[in-house]
Amino acid sequence: MSYFDNKVPPKREDRLKAVIAHNDSICGLALKARGGKGCLIDDGDRGFTQGTICLLLPALAMLNSLPDNVVLLHSALGCGSCTHSQNANVRMGSNARWGKAKDGVWLSTALDETDVISGGEDKLARAIIEADRRYRPASITIVAGCVPGIIGDDIDGVAQRLQPQVSAKLLPVHCEGFKTKIWATAYDAVYHTIGRNLLEEKGVTDYAPQDEFEVLREQERLAKTVNLMNVSSMGRVDEQELERLLESLGLEVNVFPVFAHPDSFVKATRAALSISTCPTHDDYFLGYLEERFGVPSIIKHMPIGIENTSLWIRDVARVFGFEEQAERLIASEEAELKASLEEFRPLFEGQKVFVSAGEFRALATARLLQEIGLEVVGIRSFHHDHFAEVEYDKLAREAKSDYVVDIANVQPFEEANLLNRLKPDLFLGHANGNMTAAKLGIPTHVIYNTGLAYIGYRGVYEIARRLHRQLSNPAYNRNLAENLKLPYRDSWYQAEPFSYLNTRGRSVNE
């Protein structure tokens, strides 16, 4: 039975045996991966845990980008507050794609104590009817937070009952954060809804050309159409870089699903190939496209850095028999890029860097940093699953010395301890995760921003250029360290950084 036959997608702990609590080294992980049975590691537990994010954050980043859609949060009032900051990306993304800035539309049922006792289904039903009446959207995504999951509200049942009464397509999305510690499950939750409610309806019936020549032209076009997956991990500038590279091979690109026009949903089921830009995001849905619609997929490398971008292009070209064009493209791009990077290398020589991000972005970015001349001395990856194994091997192969890999769903206290010990010259992390390093006086750079370039060959040069500027003038972070103090005692900095991490109930120090 397909996962998509169920109302709710499985947890990544069950489906991928994903891990969020483990410490190792890059060489140790690479050695485990080379063992032939995969890098199977036990998920540990922390006796003390501090800070993570909810499934709602990545899910809403995707859902708010869908055009002509209303996001209806069925949960407590505070849930989904991240959409205030995400709206800047929605406006910028819609303007970059359509030439018009457009706000995301989201509402909340604002469940309170009375609703917890008596149930919130009636309130949800009234909210659906009001959202449909007020905005007349093409779709309403009903996003369940923790509260309805605890009290047993059936959002699927409500949506099914009300669908005949509203014009919008009702799309239930399960993001009950307490059900999983792997918040990347949010991508599965959104894709689960798209697969169950949109693709079969649109992809099979909407397009039926009558003219014989039109049929042939459509078949020829679709034979070279590829789905380029983006769940909000790339801005438009990165999409354009990958479109440029794929179109250089003679392919037509269908970016999916963020900011996707309804026609893109049709194309997704008819494309010749689906191409992942991040295995962490895409594997669940690409498996469904192949299973249900016969669309094959490539899900291996993230096109960040020189080596990974070239491998990514070669994998795509091999499917279509375009190997010769791909090699000419790669040779030209790499030669131009490597010549352009020479001006930055003298400053990067001997500089040490620590990287923190979601699994694949952290590992692929670390490889990029090696390529431009920086020395990686530590990585914090938000989780681990088998997709990371190919990246461990690349990083270990080029490492100047072995270094720590902290698999942790944020945990800033471990990060502060590690940074105080390793004393890197540079820290790359998410915008809301750079504070610890900045307050320790370490120059920081955001590892993800939809307005900046990170992907492909252009991304390598742009990252190098920005890091060169940051390292040339680190005065801001030094001033922060002189005037601010983190809330940790000296005794914690002297303690073993993983002393709160247990595996199978036993301390790692035992």
Side-chain angles (χ1 to χ4, degrees):
M1 185 173 71
S2 169
Y3 290 132
F4 284 78
D5 292 331
N6 301 318
K7 288 184 179 181
V8 183
K11 299 185 297 182
R12 290 204 174 189
E13 293 96 323
D14 297 333
R15 185 172 69 85
L16 296 177
K17 308 303 179 187
V19 171
I20 60 165
H22 188 80
N23 77 288
D24 212 314
S25 70
I26 192 62
C27 292
L29 289 169
L31 188 62
K32 291 184 177 74
R34 293 183 198 126
K37 296 182 179 180
C39 188
L40 299 176
I41 58 178
D42 293 323
D43 197 6
D45 196 10
R46 287 180 171 85
F48 170 74
T49 186
Q50 175 197 45
T52 183
I53 68 170
C54 174
L55 273 69
L56 286 175
L57 192 151
L60 292 174
M62 295 175 66
L63 295 172
N64 282 315
S65 75
L66 298 180
D68 203 11
N69 175 63
V70 169
V71 174
L72 176 56
L73 287 162
H74 186 47
S75 198
L77 183 59
C79 293
S81 59
C82 59
T83 53
H84 291 295
S85 61
Q86 288 176 351
N87 196 53
N89 286 335
V90 174
R91 290 178 60 84
M92 184 169 63
S94 58
N95 185 59
R97 291 163 176 84
W98 308 318
K100 182 180 179 181
K102 187 177 180 180
D103 292 304
V105 180
W106 66 281
L107 310 172
S108 174
T109 55
L111 297 177
D112 56 23
E113 291 90 342
T114 301
D115 299 317
V116 170
I117 295 171
S118 58
E121 291 185 7
D122 289 342
K123 180 181 270 191
L124 174 61
R126 293 194 300 272
I128 291 171
I129 292 172
E130 176 62 19
D132 185 67
R133 182 197 66 80
R134 184 183 301 183
Y135 298 103
R136 294 299 176 188
S139 60
I140 298 173
T141 46
I142 306 163
V143 185
C146 290
V147 175
I150 293 171
I151 66 177
D153 279 0
D154 181 9
I155 65 169
D156 297 89
V158 173
Q160 185 176 16
R161 175 166 55 86
L162 287 183
Q163 185 61 80
Q165 303 176 38
V166 297
S167 58
K169 181 69 176 176
L170 302 181
L171 310 174
V173 183
H174 290 270
C175 282
E176 301 91 346
F178 67 89
K179 290 185 177 181
T180 174
K181 295 179 181 179
I182 311 291
W183 45 264
T185 302
Y187 305 119
D188 303 346
V190 175
Y191 275 139
H192 193 81
T193 295
I194 291 173
R196 280 172 59 87
N197 297 282
L198 292 179
L199 294 190
E200 290 196 37
E201 173 184 311
K202 293 180 178 291
V204 174
T205 63
D206 274 17
Y207 185 76
Q210 302 300 318
D211 182 82
E212 181 179 351
F213 292 105
E214 185 183 355
V215 171
L216 292 174
R217 285 194 298 270
E218 180 68 6
Q219 289 175 345
E220 183 179 1
R221 184 181 67 82
L222 290 173
K224 293 184 179 180
T225 296
V226 295
N227 293 322
L228 181 66
M229 311 308 294
N230 181 11
V231 296
S232 78
S233 62
M234 298 188 298
R236 182 56 187 154
V237 64
D238 282 334
E239 286 179 356
Q240 289 173 327
E241 167 69 355
L242 295 185
E243 286 174 351
R244 178 183 71 86
L245 296 172
L246 293 171
E247 288 169 359
S248 296
L249 299 177
L251 300 174
E252 181 175 323
V253 181
N254 177 44
V255 180
F256 187 88
V258 296
F259 298 100
H261 188 274
D263 289 346
S264 296
F265 287 76
V266 177
K267 290 180 183 178
T269 64
R270 298 174 176 270
L273 179 69
S274 294
I275 310 171
S276 170
T277 55
C278 177
T280 294
H281 297 159
D282 302 330
D283 85 288
Y284 187 73
F285 187 65
L286 295 192
Y288 177 70
L289 279 179
E290 187 160 5
E291 167 195 313
R292 175 64 180 83
F293 299 100
V295 181
S297 60
I298 293 176
I299 180 166
K300 190 173 183 180
H301 306 289
M302 188 173 191
I304 289 180
I306 303 171
E307 179 184 21
N308 276 326
T309 299
S310 297
L311 288 170
W312 187 84
I313 292 172
R314 287 188 176 103
D315 284 347
V316 175
R318 196 175 298 116
V319 173
F320 296 94
F322 295 160
E323 290 93 339
E324 290 186 12
Q325 295 111 296
E327 291 306 323
R328 288 195 297 269
L329 174 65
I330 290 168
S332 173
E333 295 284 340
E334 287 191 356
E336 181 180 0
L337 175 58
K338 289 175 181 178
S340 300
L341 293 172
E342 288 305 313
E343 64 175 304
F344 305 126
R345 293 188 181 277
L347 179 59
F348 291 163
E349 186 67 29
Q351 301 275 11
K352 299 178 179 180
V353 60
F354 191 102
V355 185
S356 170
E359 177 188 52
F360 236 81
R361 183 169 288 265
L363 300 174
T365 301
R367 180 71 190 105
L368 182 158
L369 298 174
Q370 288 178 332
E371 291 173 324
I372 64 176
L374 293 160
E375 180 183 356
V376 178
V377 295
I379 295 174
R380 178 177 62 184
S381 178
F382 291 163
H383 80 275
H384 158 84
D385 58 41
H386 71 274
F387 290 110
E389 294 172 10
V390 65
E391 297 303 315
Y392 295 147
D393 194 65
K394 295 174 193 171
L395 290 166
R397 184 185 69 223
E398 301 297 331
K400 293 182 179 179
S401 60
D402 202 4
Y403 55 82
V404 65
V405 177
D406 181 18
I407 297 171
N409 54 342
V410 189
Q411 308 305 335
F413 73 99
E414 286 181 358
E415 174 195 4
N417 186 308
L418 287 169
L419 293 178
N420 193 57
R421 290 166 177 265
L422 298 171
K423 300 190 180 336
D425 302 293
L426 182 65
F427 178 92
L428 274 73
H430 284 281
N432 58 356
N434 282 348
M435 294 82 75
T436 298
K439 291 177 182 179
L440 288 171
I442 302 168
T444 65
H445 181 66
V446 63
I447 203 167
Y448 163 67
N449 180 315
T450 54
L452 300 176
Y454 296 89
I455 298 285
Y457 299 115
R458 177 182 177 179
V460 176
Y461 178 80
E462 292 296 331
I463 289 175
R465 183 180 62 83
R466 296 194 299 263
L467 295 183
H468 189 273
R469 183 174 59 190
Q470 185 78 351
L471 288 170
S472 297
N473 184 9
Y476 173 75
N477 300 90
R478 290 174 182 168
N479 290 336
L480 276 181
E482 291 172 2
N483 292 278
L484 294 172
K485 183 176 176 61
L486 289 170
Y488 306 111
R489 297 178 179 176
D490 291 339
S491 58
W492 169 241
Y493 290 118
Q494 295 165 8
E496 204 279 327
F498 302 109
S499 56
Y500 285 98
L501 179 60
N502 298 277
T503 302
R504 292 183 173 177
R506 300 187 63 186
S507 168
V508 296
N509 293 324
E510 292 179 7

